[in-house]
């Protein structure tokens, strides 16, 4: 079951569109379910960032668009050790090593960025405010727009 790196960009866009719909719901009459909607916005916003960072790393090294992503092995960068992870900070560092770009508004969103994990989908508690989560969503949207420019 092979996957090519442009699929990361498609996944990122899909998660971003889902977030946009959830933000709309949040702002239009779903107050009773606010906790669940915010939790999902946070979770999906993290995936927007994760997948667009992965896309950008492959793009930065001019990886063959038709090659299976799992075959990556370039200057110490491997799929297994550097891409198949859910650690946003490690992915951010990999991208910065390639001097492509720095994330916009990272410092204001550092706390949520560093604590995001794919395991969050199993948690029912929400440790962040509505304002923080919506800021993280805006951060994911802004950086998606920044990073899709790299082809």
């Amino acid at each position: 079951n092979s996957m090519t790196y442009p699929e990361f960009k498609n996944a990122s866009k899909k998660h971003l569109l889902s977030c946009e719909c959830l933000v709309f719901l949040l702002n239009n009459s779903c107050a009773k379910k606010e906790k669940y909607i915010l939790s999902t916005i946070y979770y999906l916003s993290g995936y927007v960032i994760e997948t667009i960072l992965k896309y950008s790393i492959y793009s930065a090294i001019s990886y063959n668009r038709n090659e299976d992503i799992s075959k990556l092995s370039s200057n110490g960068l491997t799929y297994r050790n550097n891409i198949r992870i859910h650690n946003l900070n490690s992915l951010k560092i990999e991208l910065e090593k390639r001097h492509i770009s720095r994330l916009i508004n990272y410092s204001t969103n550092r706390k949520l960025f560093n604590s995001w994990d794919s395991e969050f989908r199993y948690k029912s508690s929400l440790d962040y405010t509505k304002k923080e989560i919506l800021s993280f969503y805006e951060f994911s949207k802004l950086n998606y727009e920044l990073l899709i420019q790299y082809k």
Side-chain angles (χ1 to χ4, degrees):
N1 195 4
S2 71
M3 179 178 160
T4 59
Y5 87 84
E7 291 175 63
F8 284 128
K9 183 166 84 169
N10 297 338
S12 192
K13 184 177 184 176
K14 178 182 79 171
H15 297 319
L16 186 59
L17 290 171
S18 297
C19 283
E20 287 173 8
C21 291
L22 289 167
V23 169
F24 178 82
L25 269 179
L26 195 63
N27 295 331
N28 293 279
S29 80
C30 269
K32 288 180 194 166
K33 297 184 171 99
E34 182 172 286
K35 179 180 129 181
Y36 300 106
I37 294 171
L38 284 170
S39 170
T40 306
I41 290 169
Y42 175 59
Y43 172 69
L44 289 175
S45 294
Y47 265 118
V48 169
I49 297 164
E50 177 185 318
T51 51
I52 204 61
L53 284 171
K54 289 178 179 183
Y55 167 79
S56 301
I57 292 165
Y58 277 95
S59 184
I61 62 167
S62 302
Y63 193 76
N64 181 336
R65 296 176 74 80
N66 302 312
E67 186 80 39
D68 187 322
I69 58 167
S70 65
K71 295 187 174 153
L72 171 67
S73 183
S74 170
N75 297 326
L77 182 69
T78 66
Y79 172 75
R80 182 181 188 92
N81 295 330
N82 309 99
I83 304 294
R84 197 183 71 177
I85 57 173
H86 298 288
N87 184 309
L88 298 183
N89 206 44
S90 296
L91 293 167
K92 174 181 164 289
I93 290 165
E94 287 301 334
L95 182 67
E96 289 171 350
K97 281 182 192 172
R98 276 130 197 103
H99 308 293
I100 289 297
S101 181
R102 293 204 168 273
L103 296 178
I104 302 169
N105 292 347
Y106 169 71
S107 58
T108 16
N109 290 279
R110 178 181 290 139
K111 182 172 80 169
L112 276 74
F113 182 90
N114 288 330
S115 61
W116 184 88
D117 187 285
S118 63
E119 297 298 308
F120 186 81
R121 66 181 173 262
Y122 303 116
K123 296 179 183 167
S124 57
S125 64
L126 195 60
D127 299 327
Y128 308 111
T129 66
K130 179 178 180 178
K131 184 179 177 188
E132 287 174 317
I133 290 170
L134 292 178
S135 171
F136 189 65
Y137 156 70
E138 290 297 335
F139 167 76
S140 75
K141 187 175 179 178
L142 195 63
N143 285 289
Y144 170 84
E145 294 297 334
L146 170 74
L147 295 173
I148 59 166
Q149 298 172 39
Y150 302 101
K151 301 189 173 28

